[in-house]
Amino acid sequence: MKWNLRKTAMAILITVMTVTTVMTVTTVTAAENVPSPKETYRIVALGDSITVGYEPGMTGKSVPYGYVDRLYEQALFHKRAELANYAIMGLQTPGLINLLQGAADGKPLKAADLQDFSSLPDGVPQQADSVALKTQQIATDLAKANLVVMTIGGNDFGDFIKTMLKQSTEDAKKYVQDNFDSLMNKYTTNLDKMIRQLHVLAPNAQIILADQYLPLPTGHALYADLSAAVKKLSGRLTEFTDGLSKEGIPVTIAPVSTKFVNNETNYTYIALFDGNDNHPKQAGYEAIAQTFAELIWKQYLKPAPRAADVPLSIVINGKEPPNKPTTVKNTTFLALTDVASAVGANLKWIQKTKTAVFSKDGREVIITVGAKTIIVNGVTQPLDTPAYFQQVGKIQKTYVPLAVISTGLNYQVIFSKKLMTAFINS
């Protein structure tokens, strides 16, 4: 289980984050098998440090790459998407209930209004403050959300684990047997209140909550006992969410714990019992993202392998074009016909002037090979890097700046530095 937060002097001050750098965020029309015009898949993330994407060594300037960031990439493989991450380091279930109540009331809060963060490392209370102030925006984002994802509960078991660790192995085993059920019942009672509250705020959202993984090596004396507790909790959560689903509340448990079994050393920092850290490694965060993605889309996607001379991948409406992109002066270019086909635009080629005319749903972009201007809906705009000819096998193809055309046609362009992939969605 992801139990208690790392108690070192590691400051972390992370607010709403995404892994991506936004190149262009716009609105556009649909092609076949893609969203209808202006449709955006909106994800809201809530919860604790796992949803933050925390790893040992992070500072306030670190950019997390956790399961939420990967899940956002998965959404971009399917359609245009937006992400708002309101996770808080060290958050417990009652703290999340208080945050949601603040959102319901439209009342900005402070960290102390959520829970007591005073025992946590420097930076954590400030990060909690920064999120608690955003309750009105949280309410707005939840009202529009299609998906809410969460990890919450590990910190609820913190005192239980601390007490257990002070005892001998046999006493600790008995302590688990005697006390785990009551703590689990308290946790699920809080969850019930929290999820009902969340459903009111996000009435159109699918809600997915992760169960708890166990960051403990298989050879540890308490592994079997705590594994049994993890399994019992997972079963209880499934029964609990099944009951809510029957009431019309669309909530599902992501069985993260099953992917961590026998992978604890590879997936976590596995330092539960020495007071250091129990967060996922990058492999663990990917396993969590895979679990969520398989529930939502039945698959976990990655860009196709790139040749050494290909600088980045391009995914347009979920597909990678046949001709690989090139980069000139930090501008990404793609074959003209690939662009037209991928974005579903009409294409007219004027041979005499070497001019391409893209049009779709009343929007028009005109670009001429070698020209330092582009015409977007009748307005001439400067162009730093002109279109050019490039030989592809025996065929000479016209390469055009992808971001400029996508912007002109009002498409969403998101760049993931971790994947070195540009997602273009209508």
Side-chain angles (χ1 to χ4, degrees), residues 7-57:
K7 297 296 179 119
T8 62
M10 189 70 67
I12 181 165
L13 188 55
I14 305 171
T15 56
V16 178
M17 304 156 292
T18 69
V19 68
T20 55
T21 298
V22 177
M23 296 164 56
T24 306
V25 181
T26 50
T27 307
V28 77
T29 59
E32 185 178 1
N33 297 323
V34 296
S36 59
K38 301 185 179 182
E39 181 182 344
T40 299
Y41 189 71
R42 293 181 170 87
I43 304 171
V44 176
L46 300 167
D48 53 25
S49 56
I50 301 298
T51 297
V52 167
Y54 178 78
E55 287 186 85

Side-chain angles (χ1 to χ4, degrees), residues 1-142:
M1 285 181 187
K2 186 272 299 178
W3 297 108
N4 57 328
L5 191 64
R6 188 181 185 190
K7 297 296 179 119
T8 62
M10 189 70 67
I12 181 165
L13 188 55
I14 305 171
T15 56
V16 178
M17 304 156 292
T18 69
V19 68
T20 55
T21 298
V22 177
M23 296 164 56
T24 306
V25 181
T26 50
T27 307
V28 77
T29 59
E32 185 178 1
N33 297 323
V34 296
S36 59
K38 301 185 179 182
E39 181 182 344
T40 299
Y41 189 71
R42 293 181 170 87
I43 304 171
V44 176
L46 300 167
D48 53 25
S49 56
I50 301 298
T51 297
V52 167
Y54 178 78
E55 287 186 85
M58 285 180 63
T59 70
K61 295 181 179 180
S62 300
V63 179
Y65 188 47
Y67 86 88
V68 171
D69 311 298
R70 288 172 164 87
L71 201 62
Y72 180 45
E73 293 169 347
Q74 292 300 301
L76 292 170
F77 271 108
H78 296 273
K79 60 179 70 176
R80 61 186 295 126
E82 294 176 357
L83 168 66
N85 191 337
Y86 297 109
I88 297 174
M89 298 286 291
L91 192 68
Q92 298 177 10
T93 310
L96 182 51
I97 290 172
N98 290 334
L99 180 66
L100 293 175
Q101 187 60 55
D105 295 339
K107 175 184 177 183
L109 302 176
K110 296 182 179 179
D113 297 322
L114 306 181
Q115 66 183 57
D116 183 6
F117 290 94
S118 62
S119 63
L120 299 180
D122 291 341
V124 173
Q126 292 89 334
Q127 191 258 334
D129 267 332
S130 70
V131 176
L133 283 171
K134 296 181 175 73
T135 48
Q136 293 176 338
Q137 186 60 48
I138 292 172
T140 298
D141 288 340
L142 286 174

